[in-house]
C-alpha cells in the first residue's frame, strides 16, 4: 500500500475526518481551512510522542491513538478552548495494516469523545513517532493563561491526581495488581479524558490555568513563575484515589500525585468568589491551596509547616 492509499484508507476515511462545524476544508488539499466565528481566537498546540521515550515500542496501537490525542486536546482544555480540529504527522517504520487499523480506531474514538476533527497531516517512514497539532477556538481575550494568578486566589485541581503515574509500573509490566486496581489505574494512563467542559466553565473565572502533565509541583511552578507569585499547596488536601492508595501506599500515592505527571487534569487559580457557584454546578474541583506573595511552590502540612519537596517532574535534557 502506497502513502496516498494509506492516508485515504486509514485516515481520510475515518469518521473523525469527515466535514463538520468550523472545518471549511479537511484532508486532501495542500491546506485545511478552518472557519472561525467573528470575535474568536484560534488556540494552537503541538505535541510529539516518540516510541521508547513517551510510550513503549510495543504499546497497543488503539490505546496509543487514544492517548496521543487526549494528551494534545488537554492543552486546549487548559486554555479554555473548544476543540476544532487536529493534524497528525505520523512517522512509521512500516505500513502494518493491523497496527494502522487499530491506531486509527483509537484516534477516532477519542476524537469523537472530544468532538474534534482530523483535518490533515503528513505520513513518513522512520522510527515510530507521532506529532499532533490541535486547534481550538475561544472568544477573544478569554484564554486561561499561566500568568494571571493573583495573591489571595485559591489553588484548585480538577480531580484526583497520581493514578497515571501510579500505573507506570503496570504499563511497563514491572509490577502486577489485582484486576480492579490495575484497570482503574491503567484507564487513567491510557485514556485520560481532557477536561474540556471544565476549561470552558472556567473562562472569565480562573485567573490562571494549565493541565498537569509533568506533575503537580512542577506545573504549579510554571504558574508561580509566570504570575510572579508563590503557590502554597496543603499536602493533606491533594486528592488521590483509593485505587492508588491501595497500590502504592499512602506515601507512594502522594509522591505520584505531587511529582508523577501524566494526569492531564487542570490546575488553576481561582478568585474565592467563584468557588461556590462552580461547586454547586457539580464540577469535580478540589481546593488544594492558595496564592501568596513570593515565588515558587511551598508544600505545607496540616499545621501549615513547610514540608521538604520531593523530586520534581520529568524533563527532557534534564
Ligand atoms: P503535500 O505533499 O501537499 O504536503 P501530502 O501528500 O503530504 O500533501 O498529504 C496529502 C493530504 O493528506 C493532505 O491534505 C494532508 O494533510 C493529508 N495527510 C497526510 N498524512 C496524513 C495523516 N497521517 N493523517 C491525516 N491526513 C494526512
Ligand atoms: Mg506532505
Amino acid at each position: 500500500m502506497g502513502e496516498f492509499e494509506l492516508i485515504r484508507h486509514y485516515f481520510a476515511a475515518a469518521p473523525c475526518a469527515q466535514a463538520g462545524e468550523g472545518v471549511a476544508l479537511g484532508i486532501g488539499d495542500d491546506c485545511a481551512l478552518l472557519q472561525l466565528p467573528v470575535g474568536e481566537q484560534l488556540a494552537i498546540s503541538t505535541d510529539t510522542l516518540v516510541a521508547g521515550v513517551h510510550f513503549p515500542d510495543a504499546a497497543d496501537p488503539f490505546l496509543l491513538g487514544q492517548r496521543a490525542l487526549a494528551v494534545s486536546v488537554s492543552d486546549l482544555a487548559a486554555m479554555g478552548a473548544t476543540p476544532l480540529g487536529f493534524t497528525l504527522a505520523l512517522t512509521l517504520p512500516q505500513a502494518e495494516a493491523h497496527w494502522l487499523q487499530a491506531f486509527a480506531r483509537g484516534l477516532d474514538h477519542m476524537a469523537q469523545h472530544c468532538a474534534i476533527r482530523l483535518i490533515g497531516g503528513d505520513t513518513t517512514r522512520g522510527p515510530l513517532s507521532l506529532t499532533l497539532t490541535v486547534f481550538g477556538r475561544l472568544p477573544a481575550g478569554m484564554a486561561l493563561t499561566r500568568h494571571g494568578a493573583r495573591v489571595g486566589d485559591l489553588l484548585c485541581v480538577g480531580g484526583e491526581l497520581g493514578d497515571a503515574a501510579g500505573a507506570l509500573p503496570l504499563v511497563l509490566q514491572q509490577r502486577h495488581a489485582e484486576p480492579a486496581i490495575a484497570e482503574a489505574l491503567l484507564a487513567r494512563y491510557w485514556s485520560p479524558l481532557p477536561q474540556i467542559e471544565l476549561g470552558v466553565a472556567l473562562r472569565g473565572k480562573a485567573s490562571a490555568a494549565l493541565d498537569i502533565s509533568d506533575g503537580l509541583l512542577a506545573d504549579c511552578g510554571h504558574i508561580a513563575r509566570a504570575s510572579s507569585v508563590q503557590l502554597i499547596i496543603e499536602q493533606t488536601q491533594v486528592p488521590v484515589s483509593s485505587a492508588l492508595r491501595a497500590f502504592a501506599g499512602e506515601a507512594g500515592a502522594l509522591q505520584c500525585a505531587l511529582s508523577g505527571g501524566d494526569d492531564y487534569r487542570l490546575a488553576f487559580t481561582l478568585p474565592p468568589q467563584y468557588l461556590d457557584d462552580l461547586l454547586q454546578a457539580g464540577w469535580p474541583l478540589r481546593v488544594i491551596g492558595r496564592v501568596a506573595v513570593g515565588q515558587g511552590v511551598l508544600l505545607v502540612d496540616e499545621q501549615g509547616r513547610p514540608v521538604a519537596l520531593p523530586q520534581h517532574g520529568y524533563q527532557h535534557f534534564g
Side-chain angles (χ1 to χ4, degrees):
M1 178 180 290
E3 175 191 336
F4 298 113
E5 206 189 328
L6 184 157
I7 294 167
R8 254 197 314 276
H9 189 75
Y10 294 107
F11 298 111
C16 67
Q18 305 319 303
E21 203 200 332
V23 181
L25 185 63
I27 293 177
D29 217 308
D30 291 308
C31 289
L33 298 173
L34 295 179
Q35 189 68 45
L36 225 53
V38 173
E40 298 213 342
Q41 287 175 325
L42 200 55
I44 305 169
S45 170
T46 292
D47 276 297
T48 296
L49 300 181
V50 179
V53 178
H54 299 97
F55 59 90
D57 287 271
D60 178 292
F62 179 90
L63 296 175
L64 180 61
Q66 188 178 263
R67 181 170 191 273
L69 183 58
V71 164
S72 295
V73 171
S74 180
D75 283 324
L76 294 179
M79 297 297 283
T82 302
L84 202 52
F86 71 103
T87 61
L88 167 69
L90 186 57
T91 303
L92 291 168
Q94 70 259 326
E96 220 254 281
H98 212 77
W99 193 95
L100 279 161
Q101 191 78 58
F103 175 78
R105 272 199 309 115
L107 198 71
D108 191 65
H109 186 77
M110 187 54 69
Q112 305 293 342
H113 179 84
C114 298
I116 191 166
R117 282 181 201 80
L118 178 59
I119 59 169
D122 200 19
T123 308
T124 52
R125 187 186 288 267
L128 179 59
S129 91
L130 324 164
T131 297
L132 283 89
T133 302
V134 291
F135 301 85
R137 59 183 181 82
L138 76 175
M142 297 291 274
L144 308 174
T145 64
R146 298 177 176 192
H147 61 250
R150 302 279 292 271
V151 174
D153 288 347
L154 302 170
L155 175 62
C156 309
V157 292
E160 289 162 340
L161 304 179
D163 282 356
L168 213 53
L170 299 171
V171 172
L172 299 173
Q173 298 185 332
Q174 295 164 340
R175 265 191 79 183
H176 291 276
E178 62 177 80
I181 288 176
E183 213 171 286
L185 299 182
L186 285 168
R188 290 283 312 144
Y189 179 87
W190 284 117
S191 189
L193 297 178
Q195 298 193 292
I196 300 165
E197 293 85 3
L198 177 59
V200 171
L202 293 176
R203 282 182 196 162
K205 296 192 174 73
S207 50
L210 47 61
D211 64 320
I212 303 171
S213 55
D214 300 330
L216 178 68
L217 294 176
D219 285 316
C220 283
H222 296 319
I223 292 181
R225 203 169 309 114
S227 301
S228 302
V229 294
Q230 182 181 57
L231 297 192
I232 301 177
I233 299 174
E234 289 174 43
Q235 184 166 261
T236 54
Q237 299 306 310
V238 175
V240 294
S241 72
S242 50
L244 182 59
R245 264 204 206 95
F247 183 62
E250 198 70 44
L254 185 62
Q255 168 82 24
C256 287
L258 293 175
S259 309
D262 284 334
D263 289 300
Y264 303 104
R265 296 217 194 260
L266 301 189
F268 54 96
T269 57
L270 186 74
Q273 69 264 30
Y274 297 122
L275 181 65
D276 284 348
D277 281 355
L278 287 169
L279 287 174
Q280 255 156 41
W283 294 110
L285 64 88
R286 299 285 291 266
V287 178
I288 61 163
R290 62 197 168 83
V291 182
V293 176
Q295 55 181 351
V297 177
L298 181 66
L299 190 63
V300 299
D301 66 13
E302 269 167 310
Q303 280 78 45
R305 290 176 306 216
V307 177
L309 294 186
Q311 67 194 86
H312 273 234
Y314 182 76
Q315 277 190 38
H316 295 270
F317 311 109

